[in-house]
Amino acid sequence: MRPLALALLLLALAGCGGPRPQLAPLAPSDVVLAFGDSLTFGTGAPEDQSYPAVLGRLIGREVVRSGVPGETTGQALARLPGVLEEVRPRLVLLCLGGNDMLRKVNEQETAENLRAMVRMIRDRGADVVLVAVPRPALLADPPAFYRAIAEEFRLPLEDQVVKEVLYSTGLKADPIHPNAEGYRRIAEALAELLRRSGAL
């Protein structure tokens, strides 16, 4: 029985991971939308060194920077339809939630706002990559709802690089924003995720 039980356990564990979520390949003319708050805006670095600007150079595609400093997920949800209509992206990089945590917005509300944005983006025919941000505490991980949403919608998830950057003093311009090198690290991690997920 023991070998059989072990085999069943290994099979169950293998099934839990499943295949990596895949993205449709980006054509050279496809537009990528980076949508978020100050981390997307690039607070702490010149505009041409924000992560969307660096990412555009790395992947050879137009990456539109649409970040509003201080924005919560509720505010972003209200802003998103107009941005999607204007930009008409093929892929959206969704990086939000930090301001909700700073303002102590209920996590369920934050998660539902993110889910609503994912549905809206997909309804417009675009793919989504979710970028998680850590809790505003020393060496804290991103909240579990990011991974839950990624698994629910089968989204590629980048949940390490923002934490690594924000917990490295040499990569920060101030206590809560990266410097140019920090944004470059984020852009590089996202470019690698896009490659692994089949977009490039």
Side-chain angles (χ1 to χ4, degrees):
M1 288 295 292
R2 283 184 181 175
L4 177 59
L6 179 60
L8 290 173
L9 177 61
L10 291 174
L11 185 62
L13 290 174
C16 288
R20 184 189 303 276
Q22 292 295 294
L23 300 168
L26 289 170
S29 59
D30 283 338
V31 176
V32 176
L33 171 64
F35 189 79
D37 51 31
S38 58
L39 295 178
T40 300
F41 180 81
T43 299
E47 180 178 340
D48 67 348
Q49 295 179 52
S50 65
Y51 100 71
V54 176
L55 181 63
R57 294 192 289 271
L58 289 173
I59 68 174
R61 307 293 194 284
E62 180 183 1
V63 178
V64 175
R65 179 183 63 123
S66 184
V68 175
E71 189 170 64
T72 63
T73 56
Q75 294 167 329
L77 178 58
R79 181 171 67 92
L80 182 58
V83 177
L84 292 174
E85 181 65 29
E86 179 183 353
V87 177
R88 299 184 181 277
R90 182 65 192 84
L91 172 67
V92 178
L93 308 173
L94 190 60
C95 179
L96 285 155
N99 291 306
D100 291 52
M101 291 180 237
L102 288 171
R103 298 181 189 184
K104 304 194 184 309
V105 174
N106 181 278
E107 283 195 0
Q108 184 176 351
E109 180 181 340
T110 300
E112 285 307 311
N113 287 337
L114 288 169
R115 287 185 174 94
M117 284 186 268
V118 170
R119 293 188 190 100
M120 186 185 302
I121 293 164
R122 284 190 160 175
D123 285 347
R124 302 293 182 95
D127 282 334
V128 185
V129 168
L130 190 59
V131 183
V133 297
R135 299 179 191 278
L138 183 63
L139 301 179
D141 289 319
F145 61 71
Y146 286 107
R147 184 160 294 278
I149 293 169
E151 291 176 355
E152 177 183 344
F153 291 96
R154 297 293 299 155
L155 305 177
L157 171 68
E158 173 48 66
D159 61 354
Q160 293 299 313
V161 70
V162 174
K163 174 185 172 180
E164 291 169 3
V165 167
L166 293 184
Y167 293 148
S168 300
T169 55
L171 299 177
K172 291 174 21 176
D174 62 44
I176 59 173
H177 297 108
N179 58 22
E181 177 63 17
Y183 285 120
R184 185 180 69 79
R185 298 281 184 94
I186 293 171
E188 289 173 344
L190 287 171
E192 178 58 28
L193 177 61
L194 294 181
R195 282 190 285 271
R196 292 198 314 266
S197 302
L200 302 175

